[in-house]
DNA sequence: CTCCGCCTACCAA
DNA sequence: TTGGTAGGCGGAG
């Protein structure tokens, strides 16, 4: 069973999906995204409730351009091995720093999988907390972003990144 | 197998 | 600086 929870922030209402393993999905405000059976019950298990709070606080920190103190464990089990390796690499990019898709490809030991890295970024189930917005195209060009380039620019701006 | 994509390096205007 | 393009790789059907 998964729990779909609405998380209000200064930048709108995000929707998070939690599994028993942790945060499995995070959606930008007004962005529908399907999924299987979900429980949207109001009285959540204690553990989930804690994760919800942590997620909300982590988001606010990121919006302020600061690294988050704590976040729920990420449940990335839905991704392929390749995607998971990319997502884990993204999670290591410090606030305010950026890498190119090529650099990420090298970081995971698959230097030629540049375009595939882009694909994995697009499939990132937990944007913002897994900072796919810190990956730019070669030459510090903006590149793409599933949640809309808008968000990518705003998140980077908050972190003081100049394109 | 085929088609597509948050890419790149390269070459031509 | 633009614009078109072929190569390369993983994911989805």
């Amino acid at each position: 069973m998964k729990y779909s929870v609405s998380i209000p922030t200064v930048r709108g209402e995000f929707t998070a999906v939690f599994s028993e393993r942790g945060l499995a999905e995070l959606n930008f405000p007004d962005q529908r995204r399907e999924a299987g059976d979900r429980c949207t019950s109001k009285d959540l298990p204690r553990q989930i409730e804690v994760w919800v709070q942590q997620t909300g606080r982590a988001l606010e920190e990121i919006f302020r351009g600061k690294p988050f103190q704590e976040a729920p464990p990420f449940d990335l089990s839905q991704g392929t091995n390749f995607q998971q390796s990319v997502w884990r690499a993204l999670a290591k990019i410090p606030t305010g720093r950026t890498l190119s898709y090529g650099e990420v490809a090298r970081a995971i030991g698959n230097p030629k999988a540049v375009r595939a890295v882009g694909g994995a970024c697009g499939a990132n189930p937990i944007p913002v907390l897994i900072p796919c917005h810190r990956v730019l195209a070669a030459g510090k060009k903006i590149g793409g972003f599933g949640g809309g380039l808008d968000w990518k620019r705003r998140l980077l701006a908050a972190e003081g990144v100049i394109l």
Side-chain angles (χ1 to χ4, degrees):
Chain A
M1 174 61 72
K2 288 188 175 177
Y3 299 88
S4 184
V5 186
S6 184
I7 299 182
T9 75
V10 293
R11 298 261 177 108
E13 199 164 288
F14 282 64
T15 299
V17 178
F18 295 89
S19 70
E20 51 293 329
R21 300 172 65 95
L23 177 60
E25 193 181 318
L26 187 61
N27 299 314
F28 287 102
D30 303 314
Q31 281 195 200
R32 70 176 91 166
R33 200 176 293 185
E34 90 325 308
D37 349 325
R38 292 178 182 175
C39 173
T40 55
S41 78
K42 268 307 181 186
D43 33 31
L44 303 162
R46 187 163 229 74
Q47 174 65 90
I48 301 290
E49 189 53 51
V50 171
W51 289 342
V52 170
Q53 298 308 315
Q54 293 180 336
T55 299
R57 285 195 293 272
L59 286 174
E60 302 289 2
E61 303 247 49
I62 298 271
F63 296 155
R64 274 184 237 160
K66 301 174 53 183
F68 54 77
Q69 297 298 303
E70 62 181 346
F74 299 149
D75 178 1
L76 304 178
S77 60
Q78 48 183 340
T80 63
N81 291 337
F82 177 81
Q83 293 174 324
Q84 291 185 32
S85 71
V86 170
W87 298 337
R88 276 186 267 109
L90 300 188
K92 293 178 185 167
I93 306 176
T95 301
R97 292 233 8 263
T98 64
L99 290 182
S100 67
Y101 293 94
E103 290 173 318
V104 173
R106 263 181 277 155
I108 62 173
N110 200 337
K112 288 187 240 176
V114 184
R115 217 170 166 193
V117 165
C121 287
N124 174 16
I126 312 176
V128 186
L129 297 192
I130 288 181
C132 52
H133 59 279
R134 293 178 192 148
V135 184
L136 306 179
K140 292 286 185 285
K141 290 192 297 290
I142 187 71
F145 196 67
L149 287 182
D150 236 42
W151 274 101
K152 189 168 185 175
R153 295 200 195 86
R154 287 165 57 189
L155 290 167
L156 288 170
E159 297 181 14
V161 173
I162 309 299
L163 298 181

PDB file of all heavy atoms in Angstrom, chain A residues 80 82 110 112 115-116, chain C residues 7-12:
ATOM      1  N   THR A  80      15.266   1.337 -12.756  1.00  0.00           N
ATOM      2  CA  THR A  80      16.182   0.286 -13.203  1.00  0.00           C
ATOM      3  C   THR A  80      17.519   0.523 -12.505  1.00  0.00           C
ATOM      4  O   THR A  80      17.719   1.571 -11.891  1.00  0.00           O
ATOM      5  CB  THR A  80      16.426   0.381 -14.722  1.00  0.00           C
ATOM      6  OG1 THR A  80      17.068   1.626 -14.996  1.00  0.00           O
ATOM      7  CG2 THR A  80      15.108   0.313 -15.481  1.00  0.00           C
ATOM      8  N   PHE A  82      20.338   1.186 -13.807  1.00  0.00           N
ATOM      9  CA  PHE A  82      20.978   2.356 -14.406  1.00  0.00           C
ATOM     10  C   PHE A  82      20.404   3.650 -13.826  1.00  0.00           C
ATOM     11  O   PHE A  82      21.133   4.545 -13.393  1.00  0.00           O
ATOM     12  CB  PHE A  82      20.785   2.345 -15.925  1.00  0.00           C
ATOM     13  CG  PHE A  82      21.352   3.558 -16.601  1.00  0.00           C
ATOM     14  CD1 PHE A  82      22.711   3.634 -16.883  1.00  0.00           C
ATOM     15  CD2 PHE A  82      20.540   4.634 -16.916  1.00  0.00           C
ATOM     16  CE1 PHE A  82      23.247   4.779 -17.482  1.00  0.00           C
ATOM     17  CE2 PHE A  82      21.065   5.772 -17.515  1.00  0.00           C
ATOM     18  CZ  PHE A  82      22.418   5.844 -17.804  1.00  0.00           C
ATOM     19  N   ASN A 110      30.061   5.399 -16.853  1.00  0.00           N
ATOM     20  CA  ASN A 110      29.473   5.038 -18.144  1.00  0.00           C
ATOM     21  C   ASN A 110      29.507   6.281 -19.026  1.00  0.00           C
ATOM     22  O   ASN A 110      28.468   6.805 -19.416  1.00  0.00           O
ATOM     23  CB  ASN A 110      28.025   4.565 -17.928  1.00  0.00           C
ATOM     24  CG  ASN A 110      27.518   3.749 -19.091  1.00  0.00           C
ATOM     25  OD1 ASN A 110      28.040   3.887 -20.196  1.00  0.00           O
ATOM     26  ND2 ASN A 110      26.515   2.927 -18.857  1.00  0.00           N
ATOM     27  N   LYS A 112      29.827   7.220 -21.976  1.00  0.00           N
ATOM     28  CA  LYS A 112      29.147   7.419 -23.252  1.00  0.00           C
ATOM     29  C   LYS A 112      27.627   7.480 -23.115  1.00  0.00           C
ATOM     30  O   LYS A 112      26.918   7.801 -24.058  1.00  0.00           O
ATOM     31  CB  LYS A 112      29.515   6.311 -24.234  1.00  0.00           C
ATOM     32  CG  LYS A 112      30.943   6.435 -24.750  1.00  0.00           C
ATOM     33  CD  LYS A 112      31.202   5.414 -25.847  1.00  0.00           C
ATOM     34  CE  LYS A 112      32.332   4.479 -25.452  1.00  0.00           C
ATOM     35  NZ  LYS A 112      32.558   3.424 -26.450  1.00  0.00           N
ATOM     36  N   ARG A 115      23.291  10.710 -23.140  1.00  0.00           N
ATOM     37  CA  ARG A 115      21.877  10.935 -23.422  1.00  0.00           C
ATOM     38  C   ARG A 115      20.990  10.096 -22.505  1.00  0.00           C
ATOM     39  O   ARG A 115      19.897  10.505 -22.121  1.00  0.00           O
ATOM     40  CB  ARG A 115      21.592  10.604 -24.878  1.00  0.00           C
ATOM     41  CG  ARG A 115      20.598  11.542 -25.461  1.00  0.00           C
ATOM     42  CD  ARG A 115      20.482  11.386 -26.949  1.00  0.00           C
ATOM     43  NE  ARG A 115      19.282  12.071 -27.393  1.00  0.00           N
ATOM     44  CZ  ARG A 115      18.754  11.919 -28.582  1.00  0.00           C
ATOM     45  NH1 ARG A 115      19.307  11.103 -29.440  1.00  0.00           N
ATOM     46  NH2 ARG A 115      17.678  12.570 -28.905  1.00  0.00           N
ATOM     47  N   ALA A 116      21.470   8.936 -22.179  1.00  0.00           N
ATOM     48  CA  ALA A 116      20.698   8.053 -21.300  1.00  0.00           C
ATOM     49  C   ALA A 116      20.594   8.688 -19.910  1.00  0.00           C
ATOM     50  O   ALA A 116      19.604   8.512 -19.206  1.00  0.00           O
ATOM     51  CB  ALA A 116      21.359   6.689 -21.209  1.00  0.00           C
TER      52      ALA A 116
ATOM     53  P    DG C   7      26.658   7.834 -37.915  1.00  0.00           P
ATOM     54  OP1  DG C   7      27.682   7.108 -38.707  1.00  0.00           O
ATOM     55  OP2  DG C   7      25.234   7.419 -37.965  1.00  0.00           O
ATOM     56  O5'  DG C   7      27.133   7.816 -36.391  1.00  0.00           O
ATOM     57  C5'  DG C   7      28.238   8.620 -36.000  1.00  0.00           C
ATOM     58  C4'  DG C   7      28.410   8.535 -34.492  1.00  0.00           C
ATOM     59  O4'  DG C   7      27.476   9.427 -33.833  1.00  0.00           O
ATOM     60  C3'  DG C   7      28.129   7.140 -33.934  1.00  0.00           C
ATOM     61  O3'  DG C   7      29.056   6.890 -32.898  1.00  0.00           O
ATOM     62  C2'  DG C   7      26.705   7.259 -33.404  1.00  0.00           C
ATOM     63  C1'  DG C   7      26.702   8.689 -32.891  1.00  0.00           C
ATOM     64  N9   DG C   7      25.399   9.324 -32.792  1.00  0.00           N
ATOM     65  C8   DG C   7      24.338   9.219 -33.665  1.00  0.00           C
ATOM     66  N7   DG C   7      23.300   9.921 -33.296  1.00  0.00           N
ATOM     67  C5   DG C   7      23.693  10.528 -32.108  1.00  0.00           C
ATOM     68  C6   DG C   7      22.990  11.405 -31.239  1.00  0.00           C
ATOM     69  O6   DG C   7      21.853  11.851 -31.361  1.00  0.00           O
ATOM     70  N1   DG C   7      23.759  11.769 -30.142  1.00  0.00           N
ATOM     71  C2   DG C   7      25.036  11.337 -29.907  1.00  0.00           C
ATOM     72  N2   DG C   7      25.609  11.780 -28.795  1.00  0.00           N
ATOM     73  N3   DG C   7      25.703  10.525 -30.705  1.00  0.00           N
ATOM     74  C4   DG C   7      24.973  10.156 -31.785  1.00  0.00           C
ATOM     75  P    DG C   8      29.221   5.394 -32.350  1.00  0.00           P
ATOM     76  OP1  DG C   8      30.544   4.906 -32.655  1.00  0.00           O
ATOM     77  OP2  DG C   8      28.024   4.622 -32.764  1.00  0.00           O
ATOM     78  O5'  DG C   8      29.165   5.648 -30.792  1.00  0.00           O
ATOM     79  C5'  DG C   8      28.382   6.674 -30.296  1.00  0.00           C
ATOM     80  C4'  DG C   8      27.994   6.403 -28.855  1.00  0.00           C
ATOM     81  O4'  DG C   8      26.779   7.131 -28.628  1.00  0.00           O
ATOM     82  C3'  DG C   8      27.652   4.933 -28.590  1.00  0.00           C
ATOM     83  O3'  DG C   8      27.942   4.609 -27.232  1.00  0.00           O
ATOM     84  C2'  DG C   8      26.175   4.861 -28.878  1.00  0.00           C
ATOM     85  C1'  DG C   8      25.669   6.239 -28.530  1.00  0.00           C
ATOM     86  N9   DG C   8      24.618   6.701 -29.432  1.00  0.00           N
ATOM     87  C8   DG C   8      24.352   6.251 -30.704  1.00  0.00           C
ATOM     88  N7   DG C   8      23.303   6.797 -31.251  1.00  0.00           N
ATOM     89  C5   DG C   8      22.852   7.679 -30.281  1.00  0.00           C
ATOM     90  C6   DG C   8      21.752   8.557 -30.284  1.00  0.00           C
ATOM     91  O6   DG C   8      20.924   8.736 -31.176  1.00  0.00           O
ATOM     92  N1   DG C   8      21.673   9.269 -29.102  1.00  0.00           N
ATOM     93  C2   DG C   8      22.525   9.162 -28.046  1.00  0.00           C
ATOM     94  N2   DG C   8      22.293   9.926 -27.002  1.00  0.00           N
ATOM     95  N3   DG C   8      23.567   8.344 -28.017  1.00  0.00           N
ATOM     96  C4   DG C   8      23.660   7.638 -29.160  1.00  0.00           C
ATOM     97  P    DC C   9      27.670   3.148 -26.686  1.00  0.00           P
ATOM     98  OP1  DC C   9      28.816   2.820 -25.837  1.00  0.00           O
ATOM     99  OP2  DC C   9      27.306   2.279 -27.816  1.00  0.00           O
ATOM    100  O5'  DC C   9      26.427   3.328 -25.742  1.00  0.00           O
ATOM    101  C5'  DC C   9      26.454   4.359 -24.769  1.00  0.00           C
ATOM    102  C4'  DC C   9      25.199   4.329 -23.940  1.00  0.00           C
ATOM    103  O4'  DC C   9      24.185   5.146 -24.559  1.00  0.00           O
ATOM    104  C3'  DC C   9      24.610   2.922 -23.830  1.00  0.00           C
ATOM    105  O3'  DC C   9      24.048   2.723 -22.552  1.00  0.00           O
ATOM    106  C2'  DC C   9      23.513   2.938 -24.879  1.00  0.00           C
ATOM    107  C1'  DC C   9      23.028   4.372 -24.795  1.00  0.00           C
ATOM    108  N1   DC C   9      22.356   4.873 -25.998  1.00  0.00           N
ATOM    109  C2   DC C   9      21.328   5.811 -25.850  1.00  0.00           C
ATOM    110  O2   DC C   9      21.076   6.263 -24.734  1.00  0.00           O
ATOM    111  N3   DC C   9      20.635   6.189 -26.949  1.00  0.00           N
ATOM    112  C4   DC C   9      20.949   5.675 -28.147  1.00  0.00           C
ATOM    113  N4   DC C   9      20.222   6.061 -29.186  1.00  0.00           N
ATOM    114  C5   DC C   9      22.016   4.754 -28.316  1.00  0.00           C
ATOM    115  C6   DC C   9      22.688   4.392 -27.227  1.00  0.00           C
ATOM    116  P    DG C  10      23.620   1.325 -22.054  1.00  0.00           P
ATOM    117  OP1  DG C  10      24.542   0.887 -21.002  1.00  0.00           O
ATOM    118  OP2  DG C  10      23.368   0.459 -23.229  1.00  0.00           O
ATOM    119  O5'  DG C  10      22.241   1.680 -21.370  1.00  0.00           O
ATOM    120  C5'  DG C  10      22.221   2.716 -20.393  1.00  0.00           C
ATOM    121  C4'  DG C  10      20.802   3.166 -20.183  1.00  0.00           C
ATOM    122  O4'  DG C  10      20.281   3.712 -21.418  1.00  0.00           O
ATOM    123  C3'  DG C  10      19.843   2.040 -19.797  1.00  0.00           C
ATOM    124  O3'  DG C  10      18.875   2.571 -18.921  1.00  0.00           O
ATOM    125  C2'  DG C  10      19.244   1.623 -21.125  1.00  0.00           C
ATOM    126  C1'  DG C  10      19.151   2.954 -21.845  1.00  0.00           C
ATOM    127  N9   DG C  10      19.187   2.889 -23.295  1.00  0.00           N
ATOM    128  C8   DG C  10      20.023   2.137 -24.080  1.00  0.00           C
ATOM    129  N7   DG C  10      19.807   2.297 -25.361  1.00  0.00           N
ATOM    130  C5   DG C  10      18.769   3.220 -25.415  1.00  0.00           C
ATOM    131  C6   DG C  10      18.107   3.782 -26.539  1.00  0.00           C
ATOM    132  O6   DG C  10      18.314   3.580 -27.725  1.00  0.00           O
ATOM    133  N1   DG C  10      17.100   4.663 -26.147  1.00  0.00           N
ATOM    134  C2   DG C  10      16.788   4.965 -24.854  1.00  0.00           C
ATOM    135  N2   DG C  10      15.795   5.832 -24.670  1.00  0.00           N
ATOM    136  N3   DG C  10      17.403   4.447 -23.799  1.00  0.00           N
ATOM    137  C4   DG C  10      18.377   3.582 -24.155  1.00  0.00           C
ATOM    138  P    DG C  11      17.796   1.636 -18.280  1.00  0.00           P
ATOM    139  OP1  DG C  11      17.623   2.063 -16.884  1.00  0.00           O
ATOM    140  OP2  DG C  11      18.113   0.241 -18.607  1.00  0.00           O
ATOM    141  O5'  DG C  11      16.492   2.080 -19.089  1.00  0.00           O
ATOM    142  C5'  DG C  11      16.076   3.440 -18.963  1.00  0.00           C
ATOM    143  C4'  DG C  11      14.724   3.626 -19.604  1.00  0.00           C
ATOM    144  O4'  DG C  11      14.861   3.595 -21.045  1.00  0.00           O
ATOM    145  C3'  DG C  11      13.708   2.552 -19.242  1.00  0.00           C
ATOM    146  O3'  DG C  11      12.443   3.187 -19.121  1.00  0.00           O
ATOM    147  C2'  DG C  11      13.761   1.610 -20.434  1.00  0.00           C
ATOM    148  C1'  DG C  11      14.031   2.577 -21.579  1.00  0.00           C
ATOM    149  N9   DG C  11      14.751   2.019 -22.727  1.00  0.00           N
ATOM    150  C8   DG C  11      15.818   1.160 -22.709  1.00  0.00           C
ATOM    151  N7   DG C  11      16.288   0.893 -23.907  1.00  0.00           N
ATOM    152  C5   DG C  11      15.463   1.617 -24.761  1.00  0.00           C
ATOM    153  C6   DG C  11      15.481   1.738 -26.167  1.00  0.00           C
ATOM    154  O6   DG C  11      16.266   1.230 -26.976  1.00  0.00           O
ATOM    155  N1   DG C  11      14.474   2.555 -26.633  1.00  0.00           N
ATOM    156  C2   DG C  11      13.549   3.188 -25.845  1.00  0.00           C
ATOM    157  N2   DG C  11      12.643   3.925 -26.458  1.00  0.00           N
ATOM    158  N3   DG C  11      13.530   3.100 -24.522  1.00  0.00           N
ATOM    159  C4   DG C  11      14.503   2.299 -24.045  1.00  0.00           C
ATOM    160  P    DA C  12      11.200   2.281 -18.631  1.00  0.00           P
ATOM    161  OP1  DA C  12      10.478   3.072 -17.621  1.00  0.00           O
ATOM    162  OP2  DA C  12      11.676   0.915 -18.299  1.00  0.00           O
ATOM    163  O5'  DA C  12      10.294   2.195 -19.954  1.00  0.00           O
ATOM    164  C5'  DA C  12       9.916   3.408 -20.601  1.00  0.00           C
ATOM    165  C4'  DA C  12       9.059   3.081 -21.801  1.00  0.00           C
ATOM    166  O4'  DA C  12       9.896   2.646 -22.905  1.00  0.00           O
ATOM    167  C3'  DA C  12       8.078   1.941 -21.533  1.00  0.00           C
ATOM    168  O3'  DA C  12       6.875   2.223 -22.242  1.00  0.00           O
ATOM    169  C2'  DA C  12       8.780   0.735 -22.118  1.00  0.00           C
ATOM    170  C1'  DA C  12       9.508   1.349 -23.325  1.00  0.00           C
ATOM    171  N9   DA C  12      10.689   0.612 -23.754  1.00  0.00           N
ATOM    172  C8   DA C  12      11.579  -0.078 -22.988  1.00  0.00           C
ATOM    173  N7   DA C  12      12.560  -0.632 -23.673  1.00  0.00           N
ATOM    174  C5   DA C  12      12.291  -0.259 -24.980  1.00  0.00           C
ATOM    175  C6   DA C  12      12.958  -0.512 -26.199  1.00  0.00           C
ATOM    176  N6   DA C  12      14.077  -1.225 -26.283  1.00  0.00           N
ATOM    177  N1   DA C  12      12.431   0.006 -27.319  1.00  0.00           N
ATOM    178  C2   DA C  12      11.306   0.724 -27.223  1.00  0.00           C
ATOM    179  N3   DA C  12      10.588   1.041 -26.141  1.00  0.00           N
ATOM    180  C4   DA C  12      11.150   0.511 -25.042  1.00  0.00           C
TER     181       DA C  12
END
